[in-house]
Amino acid sequence: LSIRRQRQMCIRDRVSGLPNIEANGQGGLLDLALHTDSKQNQWLYFSYSSSEGRGSGSNTALMRAKLNSDHTQLSDQQLLYKGEHNSTKGQHYGSRIVFDNEGYVYFSIGDRGSRDINPQDLTRDGGKIYRLHEDGSIPSDNPFVKQKDAKHAAWSYGHRNPQGMWFDNQNNLSLIHISEPTRPRLIS
């Protein structure tokens, strides 16, 4: 990982302390987002393709870590979420990370090349937007938290490969953009 910010931070060649990242097709280091109070807490959130878990291949993971003051080392790594059902397919990891103004972190996982299965099946990761507390715990008011076999972290589902996501702080709305040439979808 190389950090390059031109105005506030000097350029560094390497940052150590990353987890094992599975580079496969569209997989790799997928997104980075600084916590909204990162100047105080040093939290850096990032998503990546991870081969941890059962099965061959990989799936999207969300981790947070603290970036030290000279921006060279990650510490206090915490795996917040890891998609299950690893896939050997190299496409559609999705993955954007945004924070709202109520202390939640949202991130996406693409359909992982199974567009007719994963997005509509609440028992499977993939094709979904997830909402967590900043520490990775699942909010008790997530929409599927009381469904027995559903992914309780899921906030919305039925998405093919969400690659763009942003939060409108003025209107308290999350928006996503899928990898196809369509208009953004409103998700909250």
Side-chain angles (χ1 to χ4, degrees), residues 62-125:
L62 176 69
M63 181 176 274
R64 75 176 183 173
K66 290 193 175 188
L67 186 60
N68 71 354
S69 61
D70 69 355
H71 308 108
T72 61
Q73 175 71 37
L74 295 176
S75 64
D76 300 323
Q77 296 90 336
Q78 298 174 3
L79 180 63
L80 303 181
Y81 196 90
K82 163 64 172 67
E84 295 178 343
H85 296 102
N86 282 345
S87 172
T88 57
K89 294 182 179 180
Q91 73 267 30
H92 296 183
Y93 287 88
S95 202
R96 285 299 173 260
I97 304 165
V98 297
F99 297 90
D100 70 7
N101 52 12
E102 296 179 2
Y104 298 109
V105 58
Y106 297 79
F107 69 101
S108 63
I109 298 180
D111 64 26
R112 295 298 290 113
S114 296
R115 70 177 189 179
D116 296 330
I117 299 170
N118 290 339
Q120 298 299 329
D121 185 345
L122 284 170
T123 68
R124 297 179 64 90
D125 285 304

Side-chain angles (χ1 to χ4, degrees), residues 104 130-132 138-146 152-155:
Y104 298 109
Y130 299 83
R131 181 179 79 148
L132 300 173
I138 297 173
S140 62
D141 62 344
N142 269 7
F144 310 108
V145 79
K146 294 183 180 174
H152 296 160
W155 180 250

Side-chain angles (χ1 to χ4, degrees), residues 1 15 17-24 26-32 46-52 57-59 61 63 74 93:
L1 172 65
V15 174
L18 286 166
N20 290 328
I21 296 173
E22 177 78 16
N24 174 29
Q26 296 172 353
L29 184 60
L30 302 168
D31 197 17
L32 299 166
F46 55 96
S47 55
Y48 61 99
S49 51
S50 170
S51 61
E52 289 185 28
S58 59
N59 209 331
M63 181 176 274
L74 295 176
Y93 287 88

